[in-house]
Amino acid sequence: MDWYQTINEHIDLRSFSNLWFWIVLGVVWSTASYYVLGVPYDMVQRARRFGGDAAVDLEDMVRINVNRLIYIAQVSGLWVLGFTCFAFTSLGLLAIAYNVEFAQALMLLAFPLSLVGLLSLRTARVIQTEEASGERLHKRLMRHRLYTQIIGMISIFVTAMWGMYQNLTLGSLGG
């Protein structure tokens, strides 16, 4: 029984009172705001400051990632959309109708990330359409990063408020 209790302490499905959930939340949003369309932010800064080879490398990497995103959207976009809707419907039912805390935590993590995914696809299409390069490309990437950070801040705030509510409610119920 001691082995079972040890595992149960580390893999707890009560997410909002679990430190690991909050670590994952921070890492996910830190990573999402660091990689702008799959390009590390330091690469954008280096290209902006020094130009030359760094700017060429940035434009090549953005072009590769933009083409990849748009290709995936064109080839399997409807399948991805259908699967995503199925997953969110399932999570939503578990989170709301059945009040499963783990599903609530996943929903609060995955839904804003899906918004960032849609924003990435939109930004990729804009970059490809206007064939952005140089300063225009930098501005697009910086704006995308800013919007990602705003979505992340709102997401972390809402998740923290919901988590505190859940912990206070479950704590007062003795559960």
Side-chain angles (χ1 to χ4, degrees):
M1 264 318 183
D2 191 54
W3 179 76
Y4 175 76
Q5 187 177 11
T6 303
I7 287 182
N8 196 25
E9 287 176 7
H10 292 316
I11 305 173
D12 185 12
L13 294 182
R14 288 212 40 233
S15 301
F16 299 115
S17 61
N18 192 336
L19 178 63
W20 289 108
F21 171 73
W22 297 105
I23 291 172
V24 166
L25 184 71
V27 168
V28 162
W29 283 111
S30 173
T31 304
S33 68
Y34 181 72
Y35 288 97
V36 183
L37 292 179
V39 178
Y41 182 65
D42 66 294
M43 194 173 190
V44 177
Q45 286 181 319
R46 197 172 329 124
R48 231 177 153 176
R49 284 189 193 131
F50 303 117
D53 287 340
V56 171
D57 290 346
L58 173 71
E59 289 180 13
D60 288 342
M61 194 155 180
V62 168
R63 180 184 45 79
I64 290 168
N65 287 339
V66 161
N67 289 340
R68 183 178 152 267
L69 274 172
I70 292 173
Y71 176 77
I72 290 171
Q74 289 173 345
V75 170
S76 58
L78 288 177
W79 284 100
V80 171
L81 179 66
F83 178 75
T84 303
C85 288
F86 169 76
F88 280 140
T89 300
S90 300
L91 271 177
L93 282 173
L94 288 170
I96 297 167
Y98 294 106
N99 203 27
V100 176
E101 187 173 323
F102 187 67
Q104 293 170 358
L106 284 178
M107 188 67 141
L108 287 169
L109 191 60
F111 181 72
L113 284 174
S114 70
L115 296 178
V116 171
L118 290 173
L119 178 66
S120 295
L121 184 59
R122 180 182 166 273
T123 303
R125 287 181 194 252
V126 168
I127 288 173
Q128 187 181 52
T129 300
E130 63 185 22
E131 297 177 1
S133 64
E135 190 59 33
R136 176 176 260 168
L137 178 63
H138 298 158
K139 284 183 180 183
R140 288 278 176 214
L141 295 175
M142 296 294 286
R143 187 175 303 142
H144 178 78
R145 183 171 192 251
L146 176 67
Y147 292 159
T148 300
Q149 288 175 333
I150 290 170
I151 292 170
M153 286 187 301
I154 293 170
S155 171
I156 290 171
F157 178 76
V158 168
T159 303
M161 292 296 112
W162 185 254
M164 282 191 282
Y165 171 75
Q166 285 292 97
N167 287 334
L168 289 173
T169 303
L170 291 175
S172 66
L173 295 176

